[in-house]
């Protein structure tokens, strides 16, 4: 996941942000025609100097309600500009494009259950709306809302944030985040599981996923105890269900209108997978194969039962002991090597079938509950699946296997997931859409494009909608074009009018509001809204992007300046 707001402040330092106008103390700002070159030349530094010269302290941008004359005048232009862009957005709705959502910062709601940087957040949402995005994606953290006691929910910050989105006319994809924030790619703030859950894990460490060396992982409760009343008399699945039911009841008035999608978390980083590649404390580094997470007593109990039912009780005492360590490569191990590897023998087939089926059963249990809770509420349900593209070109696909995706050169591991989602009318949300094969380390046989294609084929066969996300922050045209192409789902040159149902952009942060990035982002959103089949005149797209940049510049400036303090 990407940077949190506190981390972003440092990252933004020294970044040039454009300014539209200049004013002299005591004088009203003059109307000027703003050119592209002028936008590029101006900077946040100039804006701060201008404000200080007019007697305004920069640190009041965050704390003082009155706005500077420059901003007041420019906001008037924003209102006029938003009216102009409304007609463009209507055209977008008429096309066959893919709606774009933007992920919010991980710490959009603070630990005191209030909105983080409320004034900045409001300006940012208004800028996103004027850029043509459909809505936002926000994490609703279990560790914040039900932090203090079982069944006691504090929705304070989310009530404010959802009202902000509603007031801007933005749709919301709400992520039921039942995982810990901290320890995954891009995690830059710490939000542990609820305190009372952590207490239960301390009493019974086997509630946490465990590797063969006894290392515990506290990112998400082990699915081995899904149906056991281990959390103060409730099962983990009951806790998840009660949380979602409370969310539904609290925000009933926004369901189907503002809140249009529930993405239900099913593992670390909110993804349906095992925590097989944890970055915390340097345990795993890309492109290591990861490690199986089946050594807590609950998982081992299930394995023992499965082995006995298969008539092979000797297979039920442990997982593979020759599968290497987190940072090995497939050929470093006996289990994953391409020739006569354990993954391709009867024992390997038994173990991998059980391991992956446990993950599918976990998804089934949660989806069954989620569907019942949000039935007839006008809500789409989605599940996020990780884009594990490294060592994809090998026979064993080791990193996918340790994560729970039984995908090898001889077996499609994504079709069963797609079929499971189809049974519950859920959306298959997939990552790494922005990546190209040649951009990745070739010695690790990375193949994100081939992986995305396989997932697209699987979802087509299962007739389940496919949505996408970028796995890493990207602001360049190459990534945007790759997303545009991938979202068209033009597989095998078949024009069946199928495309991604949505794309979620990672993430709203200061880098996005950098003038060049913002200009490219606006053009990208327009192309996505129009659809792949629409011929884009480069000059026209650039003109429209420049207009939107001009319209949103005061909001972007206000946001960027605020984030610097």
């Amino acid at each position: 996941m990407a940077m949190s707001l506190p981390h972003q402040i440092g990252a933004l330092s020294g970044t040039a942000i454009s300014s539209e106008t200049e004013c002299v103390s005591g004088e009203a700002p003059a109307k000027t025609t703003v050119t592209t070159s002028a936008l590029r030349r101006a900077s946040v530094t100039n804006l701060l100097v201008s404000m200080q010269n007019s007697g305004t302290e920069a640190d009041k941008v965050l704390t003082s309600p009155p706005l500077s004359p420059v901003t007041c005048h420019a906001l008037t232009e924003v209102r006029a500009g938003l009216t102009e862009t409304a007609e463009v957005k209507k055209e977008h709705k008429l096309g066959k494009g893919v709606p774009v959502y933007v992920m919010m910062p991980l710490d959009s709601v603070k630990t005191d259950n209030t909105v983080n940087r409320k004034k900045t957040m409001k300006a940012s949402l208004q800028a996103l709306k004027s850029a043509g995005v459909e809505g936002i994606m926000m994490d609703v953290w279990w560790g914040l809302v039900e932090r203090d006691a079982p069944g006691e929910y504090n929705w304070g910050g989310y009530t404010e944030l959802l009202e902000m989105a509603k007031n801007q006319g933005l749709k919301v994809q709400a992520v039921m985040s039942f995982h810990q924030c901290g320890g995954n790619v891009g995690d830059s703030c710490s939000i542990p599981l609820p305190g009372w859950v952590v207490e239960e894990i301390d009493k019974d460490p086997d509630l946490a996923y465990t590797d063969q060396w006894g290392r515990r992982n506290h990112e998400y409760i082990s699915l081995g105890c899904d149906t056991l009343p281990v959390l103060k008399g409730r099962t983990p699945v009951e806790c998840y269900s009660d949380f979602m039911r409370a969310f539904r009841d609290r925000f009933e008035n926004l369901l189907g209108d503002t809140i249009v999608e529930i993405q239900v978390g099913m593992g670390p980083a909110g993804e349906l997978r095992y925590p097989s590649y944890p970055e915390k404390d340097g345990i795993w580094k890309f492109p290591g194969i990861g490690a199986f997470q089946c050594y807590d007593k609950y998982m081992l109990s299930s394995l023992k039962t499965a082995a006995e039912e298969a008539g092979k009780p000797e297979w039920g005492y442990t997982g593979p002991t020759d599968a290497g360590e987190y940072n090995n490569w497939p050929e470093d191990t006996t289990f994953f090597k391409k020739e006569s590897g354990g993954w391709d023998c009867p024992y390997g087939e038994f173990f991998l079938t059980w391991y992956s089926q446990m993950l599918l059963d976990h998804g089934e249990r949660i989806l069954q509950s989620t569907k019942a809770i949000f039935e007839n509420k006008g809500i789409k349900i989605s599940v996020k699946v990780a884009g594990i593209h490294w060592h994809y070109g090998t026979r064993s696909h080791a990193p996918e296997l340790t994560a729970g995706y039984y995908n090898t050169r001889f077996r499609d591991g994504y079709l069963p997931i797609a079929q499971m989602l189809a049974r519950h009318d859920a959306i298959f949300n997939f990552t790494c859409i922005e990546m190209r094969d040649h951009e990745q380390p070739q010695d690790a046989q990375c193949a994100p494009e081939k992986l995305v294609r396989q997932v697209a084929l699987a979802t087509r066969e299962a007739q389940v909608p496919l949505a996408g996300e970028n796995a890493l922050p990207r602001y360049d045209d190459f990534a945007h074009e790759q997303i545009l192409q991938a979202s068209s789902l033009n597989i095998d040159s078949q024009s069946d009018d199928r495309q991604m149902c949505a794309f979620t952009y990672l993430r709203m942060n200061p880098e996005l509001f950098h003038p060049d990035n913002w200009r490219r982002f606006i053009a990208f959103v327009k192309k996505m809204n129009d659809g792949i089949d629409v011929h884009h005149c480069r000059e026209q797209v650039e003109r429209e992007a420049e207009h939107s940049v001009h319209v949103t510049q005061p909001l972007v400036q206000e946001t960027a300046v605020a984030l610097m303090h």
Side-chain angles (χ1 to χ4, degrees):
M1 297 209 165
M3 299 185 299
S4 65
L5 283 173
H7 192 82
Q8 292 162 4
I9 300 170
L12 189 62
S13 298
T15 301
I17 304 293
S18 57
S19 175
E20 286 188 328
T21 56
E22 297 180 359
C23 66
V24 180
S25 178
E27 296 180 3
K31 290 188 177 180
T32 59
T33 301
V34 183
T35 64
T36 303
S37 58
L39 287 172
R40 288 180 179 144
R41 285 195 303 269
S43 67
V44 167
T45 303
N46 294 339
L47 179 61
L48 291 174
V49 170
S50 176
M51 294 169 67
Q52 289 167 343
N53 289 343
S54 61
T56 304
E57 295 177 5
D59 59 2
K60 290 182 180 179
V61 174
L62 274 178
T63 59
S64 179
L67 300 175
S68 68
V70 172
T71 306
C72 289
H73 171 74
L75 286 176
T76 303
E77 292 186 333
V78 168
R79 297 187 184 98
L82 291 177
T83 303
E84 290 182 50
T85 56
E87 295 304 316
V88 175
K89 292 175 194 174
K90 287 181 182 178
E91 293 178 7
H92 291 164
K93 299 299 181 184
L94 296 175
K96 295 182 179 181
V98 177
V100 175
Y101 291 76
V102 175
M103 294 186 201
M104 303 301 290
L106 295 172
D107 58 354
S108 293
V109 172
K110 298 187 292 184
T111 55
D112 63 356
N113 295 97
T114 61
V115 174
N116 199 357
R117 296 177 177 270
K118 188 183 302 184
K119 181 180 177 182
T120 304
M121 185 69 71
K122 182 178 179 181
S124 300
L125 294 180
Q126 191 171 353
L128 291 178
K129 178 64 177 179
S130 64
V133 305
E134 183 78 3
I136 59 174
M137 174 179 277
M138 54 188 281
D139 288 281
V140 183
W141 294 104
W142 186 28
L144 290 182
V145 175
E146 198 181 355
R147 175 178 53 203
D148 299 324
E152 293 184 9
Y153 306 102
N154 186 336
W155 303 106
Y158 294 104
T159 301
E160 291 183 86
L161 193 53
L162 285 165
E163 282 299 321
M164 286 184 184
K166 177 184 177 182
N167 292 339
Q168 295 300 331
L170 291 167
K171 306 297 183 184
V172 173
Q173 298 168 320
V175 183
M176 303 291 102
S177 296
F178 299 121
H179 61 286
Q180 165 189 292
C181 181
N184 273 296
V185 177
D187 284 1
S188 52
C189 66
S190 177
I191 303 174
L193 299 179
W196 55 273
V197 173
V198 174
E199 289 177 6
E200 295 303 305
I201 296 175
D202 289 341
K203 295 176 187 175
D204 181 3
D206 283 287
L207 297 180
Y209 281 116
T210 308
D211 63 22
Q212 70 181 88
W213 305 281
R215 187 183 287 110
R216 309 287 188 176
N217 186 297
H218 294 161
E219 293 180 66
Y220 188 86
I221 298 173
S222 170
L223 60 81
C225 57
D226 266 358
T227 60
L228 302 175
V230 294
L231 298 180
K232 297 190 181 297
R234 290 188 296 169
T235 71
V237 172
E238 286 174 338
C239 290
Y240 307 149
S241 300
D242 290 344
F243 182 92
M244 290 189 287
R245 194 174 294 108
F247 179 88
R248 178 200 65 190
D249 294 344
R250 174 61 185 84
F251 300 109
E252 182 95 29
N253 62 314
L254 299 178
L255 297 179
D257 181 16
T258 297
I259 303 170
V260 296
E261 181 179 322
I262 297 294
Q263 185 175 110
V264 56
M266 294 190 175
E271 297 167 334
L272 177 65
R273 64 173 176 87
Y274 294 99
S276 57
Y277 50 99
E279 278 200 316
K280 188 176 182 182
D281 300 325
I283 295 172
W284 171 88
K285 294 181 180 179
F286 177 85
I289 60 175
F292 292 112
Q293 307 290 313
C294 60
Y295 293 87
D296 64 78
K297 67 183 181 183
Y298 301 106
M299 291 291 286
L300 288 176
S301 175
S302 172
L303 177 61
K304 183 175 184 293
T305 300
E308 290 172 350
E309 291 176 351
K312 294 285 187 178
E314 66 273 17
W315 289 349
Y317 295 104
T318 183
T321 57
D322 57 354
E325 299 183 4
Y326 284 97
N327 294 306
N328 283 146
W329 286 31
E331 290 303 310
D332 296 334
T333 75
T334 301
F335 189 80
F336 294 120
K337 66 180 182 179
K338 63 182 179 181
E339 298 290 349
S340 303
W343 65 276
D344 196 25
C345 71
Y347 165 73
E349 182 179 357
F350 158 77
F351 173 79
L352 293 170
T353 298
W354 167 80
Y355 190 68
S356 61
Q357 189 60 49
M358 288 288 284
L359 191 65
L360 290 170
D361 291 345
H362 175 66
E364 288 271 9
R365 284 189 286 268
I366 297 180
L367 277 178
Q368 186 175 10
S369 176
T370 306
K371 186 177 180 181
I373 291 168
F374 292 102
E375 193 168 15
N376 300 321
K377 298 297 180 181
I379 292 290
K380 296 177 181 178
I381 298 170
S382 69
V383 173
K384 186 176 177 181
V385 178
I388 303 175
H389 58 84
W390 52 104
H391 301 297
Y392 182 85
T394 64
R395 293 184 184 179
S396 64
H397 292 232
E400 292 163 271
L401 298 185
T402 58
Y405 307 153
Y406 192 177
N407 190 57
T408 70
R409 183 164 295 183
F410 314 118
R411 179 189 176 103
D412 187 345
Y414 297 99
L415 182 57
I417 297 173
Q419 291 169 333
M420 183 264 289
L421 297 178
R423 286 193 291 274
H424 299 280
D425 301 316
I427 296 169
F428 192 124
N429 185 282
F430 198 62
T431 62
C432 77
I433 304 300
E434 84 284 9
M435 296 182 178
R436 298 174 191 257
D437 291 352
H438 70 81
E439 295 174 338
Q440 308 304 317
Q442 295 306 298
D443 55 345
Q445 298 195 50
C446 301
E449 290 179 90
K450 294 181 179 66
L451 175 57
V452 170
R453 181 180 181 277
Q454 181 185 354
V455 168
L457 288 169
T459 55
R460 184 174 72 181
E461 182 173 343
Q463 296 185 338
V464 63
L466 177 61
E469 296 179 4
N470 49 314
L472 299 173
R474 290 282 296 270
Y475 309 99
D476 55 286
D477 288 332
F478 293 107
H480 291 165
E481 288 301 320
Q482 181 66 16
I483 294 168
L484 187 65
Q485 291 294 330
S487 66
S488 69
L489 298 183
N490 186 17
I491 309 168
D492 300 331
S493 300
Q494 293 187 16
S495 56
D496 54 3
D497 293 328
R498 185 171 180 262
Q499 61 183 4
M500 286 187 181
C501 60
F503 180 82
T504 305
Y505 191 92
L506 184 153
R507 165 183 320 269
M508 191 188 87
N509 61 24
E511 289 298 314
L512 175 62
F513 293 121
H514 182 280
D516 291 336
N517 293 343
W518 184 244
R519 185 178 296 104
R520 285 191 290 264
F521 176 73
I522 288 175
F524 162 72
V525 172
K526 173 175 172 48
K527 291 177 183 178
M528 289 289 283
N529 286 339
D530 287 347
I532 189 67
D533 293 330
V534 176
H535 175 70
H536 294 98
C537 171
R538 181 176 179 179
E539 290 75 14
Q540 180 181 354
V541 170
E542 288 182 352
R543 282 197 303 272
E544 293 179 4
E546 285 296 337
H547 172 71
S548 294
V549 167
H550 174 64
V551 167
T552 61
Q553 198 63 35
L555 300 171
V556 172
Q557 288 175 345
E558 182 181 357
T559 301
V561 172
L563 286 172
M564 290 181 67
H565 291 79

